[in-house]
Amino acid sequence: MIGAREGGARTSSSVARPLPLLFFEADAYTGGPGKALFGVPRTHVAITEPQRGFLVKFELYIHGWEQAMTLSMPPFPPSLRKKGRQLVALLPRLQPTAG
């Protein structure tokens, strides 16, 4: 699961599956996934290179959307951080534009 904030409006979580990237509303009490929000095929997403630190941060771009979502992975619990890093390793990187 990865905590996500879109435009500062709402917090959600995503879970890796073989085909789509699924987004869930975060459960405020447990930090786990709540209500399903939407799914996006992985072929329609790209991320910026993650910035390592206390929180691993990156931007998620979805084909057809005008604005990226800024995502971050909390450091705890370590098992979720490890799963988050595995997910990030599988996602395509945004290619820099020339010029």
Side-chain angles (χ1 to χ4, degrees):
M1 282 174 257
I2 300 175
R5 186 169 308 278
E6 179 180 7
R10 147 189 256 174
T11 301
S12 58
S13 297
S14 63
V15 177
R17 296 281 183 251
L19 296 175
L21 189 59
L22 303 175
F23 288 80
F24 298 87
E25 194 170 280
D27 184 305
Y29 297 105
T30 66
K35 182 178 80 173
L37 298 174
F38 62 93
V40 179
R42 287 193 198 182
T43 56
H44 288 64
V45 302
I47 64 170
T48 58
E49 193 61 40
Q51 301 294 315
R52 308 281 180 189
F54 183 70
L55 294 175
V56 175
K57 295 182 180 182
F58 57 94
E59 290 187 336
L60 175 76
Y61 290 84
I62 300 174
H63 179 73
W65 288 26
E66 292 181 19
Q67 190 173 5
M69 289 192 295
T70 300
L71 304 176
S72 62
M73 286 184 284
F76 303 106
S79 61
L80 289 182
R81 185 173 178 94
K82 181 178 177 182
K83 288 178 184 179
R85 285 184 171 166
Q86 291 170 344
L87 170 65
V88 167
L90 297 173
L91 295 175
R93 299 300 192 263
L94 188 64
Q95 298 300 315
T97 57

